[in-house]
Amino acid sequence: MIQQIDNFIGGELVAPAGGRYLDNFDPAVGRVYSGVADSDARDVERAVAAAHAAFAKWSATPADERCRVLFRVADIIERDLEKFALAECVDNGKPLTRARTAEIPRAVKNFRFFATALLHERSDLHVVDREALNYTLRRPRGVCGLISPWNLPLYLLTWKVAPALAVGNTAVAKPSEVTPMTARLLADACVEAGLPAGVLNIVHGSGTQAGAALVSHPAVTTISFTGGTKTGRAIAAAAAPMFKKLSLELGGKNPNLVFADADMGAAVDASVQAAFANQGQICLCGSRVYVERPAYDEFVARFVEQTRRLRVGDPLDPATQQGAMVSRVQLEKTREYVELARREGGRVLSGGGPPVELPTRCRDGYFHQPTVIVDLPPECRVNQEEIFGPVVTIAPFENEADAIKLANGTEFGLSASVFTRDVNRAHRVADAIQAGTVWVNCWLLRDLRVPFGGMKQSGVGREGGDEALRFFSETKNVCVKVG
Ligand code: TXE
Protein backbone atom coordinates (compact mmCIF):
# COMPACT_ATOMS: atom_id res chain seq x y z
CA MET A 1 0.00 0.00 0.00
CA ILE A 2 1.55 3.29 -1.06
CA GLN A 3 1.31 6.42 1.05
CA GLN A 4 -1.69 8.65 0.33
CA ILE A 5 -1.02 12.34 0.83
CA ASP A 6 -4.08 13.95 2.40
CA ASN A 7 -5.07 17.56 2.82
CA PHE A 8 -4.20 19.51 5.95
CA ILE A 9 -7.29 21.39 7.09
CA GLY A 10 -8.06 22.89 10.49
CA GLY A 11 -4.90 21.31 11.93
CA GLU A 12 -5.79 17.79 10.82
CA LEU A 13 -5.09 15.48 7.92
CA VAL A 14 -8.28 15.05 5.95
CA ALA A 15 -9.05 12.79 2.99
CA PRO A 16 -10.35 14.58 -0.13
CA ALA A 17 -14.16 14.87 -0.32
CA GLY A 18 -14.26 12.95 -3.60
CA GLY A 19 -12.04 10.16 -2.21
CA ARG A 20 -9.77 10.27 -5.27
CA TYR A 21 -5.98 10.46 -5.42
CA LEU A 22 -3.64 11.41 -8.24
CA ASP A 23 -0.52 9.36 -8.97
CA ASN A 24 2.69 10.84 -7.65
CA PHE A 25 5.79 9.71 -9.55
CA ASP A 26 9.41 9.28 -8.51
CA PRO A 27 10.98 10.76 -11.66
CA ALA A 28 14.34 9.06 -11.12
CA VAL A 29 12.74 5.63 -11.61
CA GLY A 30 9.62 6.61 -13.56
CA ARG A 31 7.23 4.86 -11.18
CA VAL A 32 4.33 5.88 -8.94
CA TYR A 33 5.43 5.97 -5.32
CA SER A 34 2.53 7.73 -3.60
CA GLY A 35 -0.91 9.15 -4.17
CA VAL A 36 -1.90 12.77 -3.67
CA ALA A 37 -5.38 14.06 -2.80
CA ASP A 38 -7.27 15.06 -5.94
CA SER A 39 -9.17 17.85 -4.20
CA ASP A 40 -12.07 19.82 -5.58
CA ALA A 41 -14.15 22.88 -4.66
CA ARG A 42 -15.59 21.09 -1.59
CA ASP A 43 -12.13 20.65 -0.08
CA VAL A 44 -11.22 24.23 -0.89
CA GLU A 45 -14.47 25.38 0.75
CA ARG A 46 -13.60 23.48 3.90
CA ALA A 47 -10.05 24.82 3.99
CA VAL A 48 -11.14 28.42 3.42
CA ALA A 49 -13.73 28.05 6.23
CA ALA A 50 -11.00 26.79 8.59
CA ALA A 51 -8.68 29.65 7.61
CA HIS A 52 -11.49 32.15 8.01
CA ALA A 53 -12.35 30.83 11.48
CA ALA A 54 -8.71 31.03 12.60
CA PHE A 55 -8.15 34.57 11.32
CA ALA A 56 -9.54 36.67 14.20
CA LYS A 57 -7.36 35.01 16.83
CA TRP A 58 -4.16 34.68 14.78
CA SER A 59 -4.30 38.27 13.53
CA ALA A 60 -4.72 39.46 17.12
CA THR A 61 -1.83 37.32 18.40
CA PRO A 62 1.12 39.55 19.38
CA ALA A 63 3.77 39.76 16.67
CA ASP A 64 6.52 38.29 18.84
CA GLU A 65 4.38 35.23 19.58
CA ARG A 66 3.71 34.72 15.86
CA CYS A 67 7.44 35.10 15.34
CA ARG A 68 8.19 32.45 17.99
CA VAL A 69 5.86 29.90 16.37
CA LEU A 70 7.34 30.47 12.90
CA PHE A 71 10.81 30.10 14.38
CA ARG A 72 9.80 26.75 15.83
CA VAL A 73 8.62 25.61 12.39
CA ALA A 74 12.06 26.59 11.03
CA ASP A 75 13.84 24.69 13.82
CA ILE A 76 11.82 21.54 13.13
CA ILE A 77 12.54 21.61 9.38
CA GLU A 78 16.22 22.10 10.20
CA ARG A 79 16.18 19.22 12.67
CA ASP A 80 14.44 16.99 10.08
CA LEU A 81 16.54 18.25 7.18
CA GLU A 82 17.41 14.76 5.95
CA LYS A 83 13.76 13.73 5.84
CA PHE A 84 12.72 16.87 3.93
CA ALA A 85 15.68 16.63 1.55
CA LEU A 86 14.92 13.01 0.71
CA ALA A 87 11.25 13.82 0.13
CA GLU A 88 12.15 16.68 -2.22
CA CYS A 89 14.66 14.52 -4.06
CA VAL A 90 12.24 11.62 -4.56
CA ASP A 91 9.35 13.93 -5.56
CA ASN A 92 11.33 16.13 -7.91
CA GLY A 93 14.31 14.13 -9.20
CA LYS A 94 16.85 16.74 -8.12
CA PRO A 95 20.15 15.56 -6.61
CA LEU A 96 19.78 14.79 -2.91
CA THR A 97 22.90 16.86 -2.27
CA ARG A 98 21.25 19.91 -3.80
CA ALA A 99 18.06 19.44 -1.75
CA ARG A 100 20.14 19.01 1.41
CA THR A 101 22.52 21.92 0.89
CA ALA A 102 20.41 24.45 -0.99
CA GLU A 103 16.64 24.09 -1.19
CA ILE A 104 15.70 22.89 2.31
CA PRO A 105 18.09 25.23 4.18
CA ARG A 106 16.66 28.08 2.12
CA ALA A 107 13.15 27.13 3.24
CA VAL A 108 14.35 27.31 6.86
CA LYS A 109 15.76 30.77 6.14
CA ASN A 110 12.43 31.93 4.71
CA PHE A 111 10.68 31.26 8.03
CA ARG A 112 13.42 32.89 10.09
CA PHE A 113 13.76 35.88 7.81
CA PHE A 114 10.07 36.80 7.59
CA ALA A 115 9.41 36.07 11.26
CA THR A 116 12.12 38.51 12.34
CA ALA A 117 11.45 41.03 9.54
CA LEU A 118 8.03 41.50 11.03
CA LEU A 119 9.54 42.63 14.33
CA HIS A 120 11.49 45.38 12.54
CA GLU A 121 8.57 46.85 10.63
CA ARG A 122 8.19 50.62 10.82
CA SER A 123 5.09 52.66 10.23
CA ASP A 124 4.93 56.10 8.65
CA LEU A 125 3.71 59.37 10.14
CA HIS A 126 3.14 62.49 8.05
CA VAL A 127 2.52 65.85 9.70
CA VAL A 128 0.56 68.56 7.83
CA ASP A 129 1.84 71.86 9.31
CA ARG A 130 0.16 72.17 12.72
CA GLU A 131 -3.12 70.97 11.34
CA ALA A 132 -3.13 67.20 11.05
CA LEU A 133 -1.26 63.97 11.59
CA ASN A 134 -1.52 61.15 9.06
CA TYR A 135 -0.44 57.75 10.19
CA THR A 136 -0.40 54.55 8.22
CA LEU A 137 -1.64 51.27 9.61
CA ARG A 138 -0.80 47.95 8.01
CA ARG A 139 -3.18 45.16 8.79
CA PRO A 140 -3.41 41.52 7.66
CA ARG A 141 -5.71 40.96 4.70
CA GLY A 142 -7.54 37.80 5.77
CA VAL A 143 -7.38 34.46 3.97
CA CYS A 144 -4.57 34.24 1.40
CA GLY A 145 -4.41 31.69 -1.44
CA LEU A 146 -0.83 30.55 -2.06
CA ILE A 147 -0.17 28.57 -5.24
CA SER A 148 3.30 27.18 -5.85
CA PRO A 149 5.10 25.13 -8.53
CA TRP A 150 7.16 21.94 -8.58
CA ASN A 151 10.68 23.15 -9.31
CA LEU A 152 11.64 24.36 -5.81
CA PRO A 153 8.67 22.87 -3.96
CA LEU A 154 9.39 23.68 -0.32
CA TYR A 155 11.37 26.85 -0.94
CA LEU A 156 8.71 28.54 -3.08
CA LEU A 157 5.88 27.38 -0.82
CA THR A 158 7.54 28.74 2.33
CA TRP A 159 8.52 31.95 0.48
CA LYS A 160 4.77 32.63 0.45
CA VAL A 161 3.61 30.94 3.67
CA ALA A 162 6.16 32.63 5.94
CA PRO A 163 5.40 36.31 5.10
CA ALA A 164 1.65 35.70 4.82
CA LEU A 165 1.46 34.16 8.30
CA ALA A 166 4.03 36.50 9.86
CA VAL A 167 1.84 39.49 9.05
CA GLY A 168 -1.14 37.80 10.73
CA ASN A 169 -3.02 36.35 7.76
CA THR A 170 -4.27 32.82 7.57
CA ALA A 171 -3.75 30.81 4.40
CA VAL A 172 -4.80 28.03 2.12
CA ALA A 173 -1.81 26.73 0.17
CA LYS A 174 -2.07 24.68 -3.03
CA PRO A 175 1.32 23.10 -3.74
CA SER A 176 2.09 21.58 -7.12
CA GLU A 177 0.40 18.20 -7.58
CA VAL A 178 3.66 17.00 -9.13
CA THR A 179 5.70 17.47 -5.92
CA PRO A 180 3.42 17.37 -2.85
CA MET A 181 5.57 15.48 -0.32
CA THR A 182 7.49 18.32 1.37
CA ALA A 183 4.22 20.22 1.85
CA ARG A 184 2.86 17.12 3.58
CA LEU A 185 5.87 17.13 5.93
CA LEU A 186 5.44 20.86 6.52
CA ALA A 187 1.96 20.11 7.90
CA ASP A 188 3.54 17.86 10.56
CA ALA A 189 6.08 20.56 11.40
CA CYS A 190 3.31 23.13 11.86
CA VAL A 191 1.40 20.87 14.26
CA GLU A 192 4.53 20.12 16.29
CA ALA A 193 5.48 23.83 16.38
CA GLY A 194 2.09 24.69 17.87
CA LEU A 195 0.78 26.70 14.95
CA PRO A 196 -2.91 27.10 15.83
CA ALA A 197 -5.32 24.95 13.81
CA GLY A 198 -6.58 26.59 10.63
CA VAL A 199 -3.81 29.20 10.36
CA LEU A 200 -2.19 27.23 7.53
CA ASN A 201 -4.25 24.80 5.48
CA ILE A 202 -2.87 22.79 2.58
CA VAL A 203 -5.12 21.55 -0.19
CA HIS A 204 -3.54 19.22 -2.72
CA GLY A 205 -4.68 18.47 -6.23
CA SER A 206 -4.68 19.72 -9.79
CA GLY A 207 -4.43 23.34 -10.79
CA THR A 208 -7.54 23.33 -12.93
CA GLN A 209 -9.68 21.84 -10.13
CA ALA A 210 -8.27 22.70 -6.67
CA GLY A 211 -6.18 25.70 -7.80
CA ALA A 212 -8.97 27.31 -9.82
CA ALA A 213 -11.47 26.83 -6.95
CA LEU A 214 -9.07 28.61 -4.60
CA VAL A 215 -8.52 31.54 -6.97
CA SER A 216 -12.25 32.08 -7.50
CA HIS A 217 -13.32 31.65 -3.86
CA PRO A 218 -14.93 34.93 -2.76
CA ALA A 219 -13.50 34.76 0.79
CA VAL A 220 -9.90 34.55 -0.45
CA THR A 221 -8.72 38.15 -0.57
CA THR A 222 -5.20 37.70 -1.84
CA ILE A 223 -3.54 35.37 -4.34
CA SER A 224 0.19 34.78 -4.56
CA PHE A 225 1.16 32.57 -7.49
CA THR A 226 4.43 31.23 -8.88
CA GLY A 227 4.35 29.16 -12.05
CA GLY A 228 4.05 29.32 -15.80
CA THR A 229 3.10 32.48 -17.71
CA LYS A 230 0.10 30.80 -19.35
CA THR A 231 -1.30 29.76 -15.96
CA GLY A 232 -0.60 33.24 -14.61
CA ARG A 233 -2.74 34.70 -17.38
CA ALA A 234 -5.66 32.40 -16.48
CA ILE A 235 -5.35 33.25 -12.78
CA ALA A 236 -5.21 36.99 -13.48
CA ALA A 237 -8.35 36.72 -15.62
CA ALA A 238 -10.22 34.84 -12.87
CA ALA A 239 -9.09 37.13 -10.04
CA ALA A 240 -9.46 40.53 -11.74
CA PRO A 241 -13.29 40.81 -11.72
CA MET A 242 -13.24 40.07 -7.97
CA PHE A 243 -10.55 42.76 -7.38
CA LYS A 244 -8.29 40.36 -5.52
CA LYS A 245 -4.81 41.47 -4.63
CA LEU A 246 -2.53 39.51 -6.89
CA SER A 247 1.15 38.70 -7.16
CA LEU A 248 2.34 36.68 -10.16
CA GLU A 249 5.87 35.25 -10.40
CA LEU A 250 6.07 33.78 -13.88
CA GLY A 251 8.52 32.36 -16.36
CA GLY A 252 11.83 33.63 -17.70
CA LYS A 253 14.15 33.35 -20.70
CA ASN A 254 17.09 34.92 -19.01
CA PRO A 255 20.18 36.23 -20.82
CA ASN A 256 23.80 35.91 -19.66
CA LEU A 257 25.97 38.58 -21.27
CA VAL A 258 29.70 37.84 -21.27
CA PHE A 259 31.96 40.71 -22.36
CA ALA A 260 35.45 39.98 -23.70
CA ASP A 261 37.12 41.69 -20.71
CA ALA A 262 35.41 39.36 -18.20
CA ASP A 263 37.22 36.87 -15.99
CA MET A 264 36.59 33.99 -18.41
CA GLY A 265 36.98 31.19 -15.86
CA ALA A 266 34.47 32.78 -13.50
CA ALA A 267 32.08 33.59 -16.35
CA VAL A 268 32.15 30.01 -17.63
CA ASP A 269 31.65 28.54 -14.13
CA ALA A 270 28.70 30.79 -13.36
CA SER A 271 27.12 30.37 -16.81
CA VAL A 272 27.25 26.56 -16.61
CA GLN A 273 25.64 26.75 -13.18
CA ALA A 274 23.03 29.19 -14.44
CA ALA A 275 22.17 27.00 -17.42
CA PHE A 276 21.89 23.62 -15.72
CA ALA A 277 21.23 24.01 -11.98
CA ASN A 278 18.22 21.90 -10.96
CA GLN A 279 18.25 20.40 -14.51
CA GLY A 280 17.53 23.87 -15.91
CA GLN A 281 14.24 23.98 -14.04
CA ILE A 282 14.62 27.29 -12.23
CA CYS A 283 12.78 30.34 -13.49
CA LEU A 284 16.06 32.28 -13.04
CA CYS A 285 18.18 29.93 -15.16
CA GLY A 286 20.34 31.67 -17.77
CA SER A 287 19.16 29.85 -20.88
CA ARG A 288 20.51 32.31 -23.50
CA VAL A 289 24.22 33.06 -23.33
CA TYR A 290 25.61 35.89 -25.46
CA VAL A 291 29.38 36.34 -25.69
CA GLU A 292 31.34 39.26 -27.16
CA ARG A 293 32.83 38.16 -30.48
CA PRO A 294 36.59 38.21 -29.57
CA ALA A 295 35.94 35.86 -26.60
CA TYR A 296 33.31 33.69 -28.30
CA ASP A 297 35.37 30.72 -29.48
CA GLU A 298 37.28 30.39 -26.23
CA PHE A 299 34.11 30.70 -24.14
CA VAL A 300 32.21 28.10 -26.16
CA ALA A 301 35.09 25.61 -25.99
CA ARG A 302 35.42 25.99 -22.22
CA PHE A 303 31.65 25.94 -21.65
CA VAL A 304 31.19 22.73 -23.66
CA GLU A 305 34.13 21.06 -21.94
CA GLN A 306 32.72 21.90 -18.51
CA THR A 307 29.21 20.81 -19.49
CA ARG A 308 30.50 17.41 -20.61
CA ARG A 309 32.06 16.92 -17.19
CA LEU A 310 28.72 17.37 -15.37
CA ARG A 311 27.76 14.08 -13.82
CA VAL A 312 24.24 12.96 -14.73
CA GLY A 313 22.99 10.12 -12.56
CA ASP A 314 20.95 8.74 -9.72
CA PRO A 315 19.77 11.70 -7.58
CA LEU A 316 20.51 9.64 -4.46
CA ASP A 317 24.19 9.31 -5.40
CA PRO A 318 26.19 12.06 -3.63
CA ALA A 319 28.42 12.45 -6.71
CA THR A 320 25.48 13.30 -9.00
CA GLN A 321 25.32 16.88 -10.26
CA GLN A 322 22.38 16.47 -12.68
CA GLY A 323 19.39 14.40 -11.60
CA ALA A 324 16.14 13.52 -13.34
CA MET A 325 13.69 15.97 -14.83
CA VAL A 326 10.52 16.36 -12.81
CA SER A 327 8.10 14.49 -15.09
CA ARG A 328 7.68 12.69 -18.37
CA VAL A 329 5.82 15.74 -19.68
CA GLN A 330 8.78 17.99 -18.91
CA LEU A 331 11.21 15.49 -20.45
CA GLU A 332 9.14 15.25 -23.65
CA LYS A 333 8.89 19.02 -23.83
CA THR A 334 12.68 19.30 -23.58
CA ARG A 335 13.21 16.68 -26.28
CA GLU A 336 10.78 18.46 -28.58
CA TYR A 337 12.66 21.74 -28.18
CA VAL A 338 15.98 20.05 -28.99
CA GLU A 339 14.41 18.60 -32.15
CA LEU A 340 12.98 22.02 -32.98
CA ALA A 341 16.42 23.59 -32.50
CA ARG A 342 17.87 21.15 -35.04
CA ARG A 343 15.10 22.04 -37.51
CA GLU A 344 15.70 25.73 -36.89
CA GLY A 345 19.34 25.27 -37.96
CA GLY A 346 20.95 24.85 -34.53
CA ARG A 347 24.12 22.79 -34.00
CA VAL A 348 24.15 20.62 -30.86
CA LEU A 349 27.66 20.76 -29.39
CA SER A 350 26.98 18.68 -26.31
CA GLY A 351 24.17 16.45 -25.00
CA GLY A 352 21.00 16.48 -27.08
CA GLY A 353 19.46 13.25 -25.80
CA PRO A 354 19.31 10.75 -22.94
CA PRO A 355 22.47 10.01 -20.94
CA VAL A 356 24.48 7.04 -22.12
CA GLU A 357 25.04 5.41 -18.76
CA LEU A 358 22.58 5.24 -15.92
CA PRO A 359 22.34 2.83 -13.00
CA THR A 360 19.78 0.03 -13.49
CA ARG A 361 17.48 1.56 -10.87
CA CYS A 362 17.13 4.69 -13.06
CA ARG A 363 16.60 2.92 -16.40
CA ASP A 364 13.02 4.23 -16.75
CA GLY A 365 13.68 7.63 -15.18
CA TYR A 366 13.21 10.99 -16.89
CA PHE A 367 16.80 11.96 -17.65
CA HIS A 368 18.15 14.35 -20.25
CA GLN A 369 21.74 15.33 -20.86
CA PRO A 370 22.76 18.96 -20.37
CA THR A 371 22.58 20.32 -23.90
CA VAL A 372 24.49 23.15 -25.60
CA ILE A 373 23.23 24.56 -28.90
CA VAL A 374 24.82 27.22 -31.16
CA ASP A 375 24.05 28.89 -34.51
CA LEU A 376 20.43 29.76 -33.72
CA PRO A 377 19.01 33.17 -34.60
CA PRO A 378 17.69 35.26 -31.67
CA GLU A 379 14.13 35.33 -32.96
CA CYS A 380 13.68 31.53 -33.30
CA ARG A 381 11.26 29.75 -30.95
CA VAL A 382 14.02 28.01 -29.01
CA ASN A 383 15.45 31.43 -28.14
CA GLN A 384 12.07 32.97 -27.38
CA GLU A 385 10.13 30.35 -25.40
CA GLU A 386 10.82 29.10 -21.89
CA ILE A 387 11.95 25.46 -22.16
CA PHE A 388 12.48 24.85 -18.44
CA GLY A 389 14.96 22.06 -19.04
CA PRO A 390 18.75 21.55 -19.36
CA VAL A 391 19.10 23.32 -22.70
CA VAL A 392 21.19 26.43 -23.34
CA THR A 393 21.94 28.38 -26.50
CA ILE A 394 25.13 30.40 -27.07
CA ALA A 395 25.61 33.14 -29.67
CA PRO A 396 28.07 35.99 -30.27
CA PHE A 397 27.42 39.73 -30.01
CA GLU A 398 29.36 42.64 -31.54
CA ASN A 399 29.15 45.48 -29.03
CA GLU A 400 27.34 46.77 -25.93
CA ALA A 401 24.30 48.07 -27.81
CA ASP A 402 23.96 44.75 -29.60
CA ALA A 403 24.19 42.85 -26.29
CA ILE A 404 21.44 44.95 -24.70
CA LYS A 405 19.19 44.52 -27.72
CA LEU A 406 19.62 40.75 -27.62
CA ALA A 407 19.08 40.63 -23.86
CA ASN A 408 15.81 42.57 -24.16
CA GLY A 409 14.61 40.71 -27.24
CA THR A 410 12.05 38.39 -25.65
CA GLU A 411 8.67 38.89 -24.03
CA PHE A 412 10.15 37.88 -20.64
CA GLY A 413 12.05 40.04 -18.14
CA LEU A 414 12.81 38.06 -15.01
CA SER A 415 16.59 38.15 -14.53
CA ALA A 416 19.92 38.57 -16.33
CA SER A 417 23.65 38.24 -15.64
CA VAL A 418 26.43 40.50 -16.92
CA PHE A 419 30.09 39.47 -16.85
CA THR A 420 32.64 42.27 -17.26
CA ARG A 421 35.59 43.86 -15.43
CA ASP A 422 34.48 47.34 -16.51
CA VAL A 423 32.51 48.73 -13.58
CA ASN A 424 30.99 51.59 -15.58
CA ARG A 425 29.74 49.23 -18.23
CA ALA A 426 28.34 46.91 -15.55
CA HIS A 427 26.16 49.71 -14.16
CA ARG A 428 25.17 50.99 -17.61
CA VAL A 429 24.14 47.58 -18.92
CA ALA A 430 22.37 46.63 -15.68
CA ASP A 431 20.32 49.79 -15.99
CA ALA A 432 19.41 49.12 -19.64
CA ILE A 433 18.33 45.50 -19.24
CA GLN A 434 14.61 44.99 -18.80
CA ALA A 435 14.66 42.48 -15.95
CA GLY A 436 13.58 42.41 -12.33
CA THR A 437 17.03 41.23 -11.17
CA VAL A 438 20.43 41.78 -12.82
CA TRP A 439 23.46 39.96 -11.44
CA VAL A 440 26.94 41.31 -12.16
CA ASN A 441 29.74 38.71 -12.29
CA CYS A 442 27.55 36.14 -10.54
CA TRP A 443 24.27 34.25 -10.73
CA LEU A 444 21.60 33.47 -8.17
CA LEU A 445 23.19 35.24 -5.23
CA ARG A 446 19.96 35.86 -3.37
CA ASP A 447 19.31 38.34 -0.59
CA LEU A 448 15.90 37.92 1.01
CA ARG A 449 15.78 41.66 1.78
CA VAL A 450 15.63 42.79 -1.83
CA PRO A 451 12.44 43.00 -3.91
CA PHE A 452 11.97 40.06 -6.24
CA GLY A 453 9.85 39.75 -9.37
CA GLY A 454 9.76 40.15 -13.11
CA MET A 455 9.14 42.74 -15.79
CA LYS A 456 7.09 42.27 -18.96
CA GLN A 457 5.50 38.79 -19.11
CA SER A 458 7.59 37.51 -16.20
CA GLY A 459 5.13 38.77 -13.65
CA VAL A 460 3.21 41.38 -11.77
CA GLY A 461 4.17 42.74 -8.37
CA ARG A 462 7.17 42.20 -6.15
CA GLU A 463 7.75 39.80 -3.28
CA GLY A 464 10.71 39.48 -0.90
CA GLY A 465 11.72 41.65 2.05
CA ASP A 466 9.45 44.57 2.92
CA GLU A 467 7.62 44.10 -0.36
CA ALA A 468 6.30 40.74 0.82
CA LEU A 469 5.17 42.07 4.18
CA ARG A 470 3.43 44.92 2.37
CA PHE A 471 1.89 42.68 -0.26
CA PHE A 472 0.27 40.57 2.42
CA SER A 473 -0.96 43.67 4.31
CA GLU A 474 -3.83 46.06 3.87
CA THR A 475 -2.74 49.69 4.05
CA LYS A 476 -4.92 52.22 5.85
CA ASN A 477 -4.26 55.91 6.45
CA VAL A 478 -5.70 57.62 9.49
CA CYS A 479 -5.86 61.41 9.37
CA VAL A 480 -6.23 63.14 12.76
CA LYS A 481 -6.98 66.86 13.00
CA VAL A 482 -4.79 68.51 15.58
CA GLY A 483 -6.03 71.33 17.85
O1 TXE B 1 3.24 25.12 -14.03
P1 TXE B 1 1.84 25.66 -13.74
P2 TXE B 1 3.63 23.65 -14.37
C1 TXE B 1 6.77 27.19 -15.96
C2 TXE B 1 7.63 26.36 -16.84
C3 TXE B 1 6.88 25.07 -16.93
C4 TXE B 1 5.47 25.57 -16.98
C5 TXE B 1 4.47 24.54 -16.62
O2 TXE B 1 7.72 26.95 -18.10
O3 TXE B 1 7.19 24.33 -18.05
O4 TXE B 1 5.48 26.65 -16.05
O5 TXE B 1 4.78 23.94 -15.37
C6 TXE B 1 -1.29 25.46 -10.32
N1 TXE B 1 -5.67 27.94 -11.42
N2 TXE B 1 7.17 27.22 -14.59
O6 TXE B 1 2.63 22.88 -15.14
O7 TXE B 1 0.84 24.86 -14.50
C7 TXE B 1 -0.58 24.14 -10.42
O8 TXE B 1 -1.37 23.09 -9.91
C8 TXE B 1 -4.97 27.89 -10.28
C9 TXE B 1 7.82 28.41 -14.15
O9 TXE B 1 3.97 23.09 -13.05
O10 TXE B 1 1.88 27.11 -13.90
C10 TXE B 1 0.68 24.42 -9.60
O11 TXE B 1 0.39 24.34 -8.22
N3 TXE B 1 -3.83 27.19 -10.13
C11 TXE B 1 7.95 28.48 -12.73
C12 TXE B 1 0.99 25.86 -9.98
O12 TXE B 1 -0.25 26.42 -10.43
C13 TXE B 1 -3.36 26.51 -11.20
C14 TXE B 1 8.03 27.27 -11.95
C15 TXE B 1 2.05 26.01 -11.08
O13 TXE B 1 1.64 25.24 -12.20
C16 TXE B 1 -4.05 26.54 -12.44
C17 TXE B 1 7.30 26.15 -12.50
C18 TXE B 1 -5.25 27.30 -12.52
N4 TXE B 1 -5.96 27.39 -13.64
C19 TXE B 1 6.92 26.16 -13.79
N5 TXE B 1 -3.36 25.77 -13.31
C20 TXE B 1 8.68 29.64 -12.13
N6 TXE B 1 8.62 30.82 -12.73
O14 TXE B 1 9.29 29.48 -11.07
C21 TXE B 1 -2.27 25.30 -12.66
N7 TXE B 1 -2.27 25.74 -11.37
Side-chain angles (χ1 to χ4, degrees), residues 17 44 64 69 124 156 193 255 324 384:
V44 169
D64 62 346
V69 177
D124 304 323
L156 287 175
Q384 290 293 320

Side-chain angles (χ1 to χ4, degrees), residues 146-152 156 174-178 205-215 225-232 234-235 249-252 281-284 330 333 386-388 414 458:
L146 313 175
I147 303 177
S148 52
W150 45 256
N151 58 337
L152 310 169
L156 287 175
K174 212 301 282 169
S176 171
E177 62 276 31
V178 184
S206 74
T208 44
Q209 199 165 271
L214 183 58
V215 171
F225 168 79
T226 301
T229 295
K230 204 167 141 224
T231 315
I235 289 177
E249 299 284 353
L250 309 176
Q281 301 166 131
I282 303 181
C283 53
L284 301 165
Q330 209 58 22
K333 185 176 163 198
E386 187 185 41
I387 301 174
F388 227 57
L414 190 55
S458 288

Side-chain angles (χ1 to χ4, degrees), residues 304-361:
V304 167
E305 201 250 303
Q306 210 158 304
T307 300
R308 288 199 180 125
R309 276 195 271 125
L310 287 174
R311 231 175 120 154
V312 185
D314 189 337
L316 295 175
D317 180 345
T320 292
Q321 292 163 297
Q322 293 281 296
M325 302 201 62
V326 73
S327 63
R328 179 167 293 287
V329 173
Q330 209 58 22
L331 175 65
E332 290 303 332
K333 185 176 163 198
T334 303
R335 284 180 179 156
E336 280 164 23
Y337 272 107
V338 173
E339 280 319 303
L340 178 64
R342 289 190 167 109
R343 288 203 301 279
E344 286 177 325
R347 210 154 37 93
V348 176
L349 297 186
S350 180
V356 190
E357 278 177 37
L358 280 174
T360 323
R361 187 182 96 86

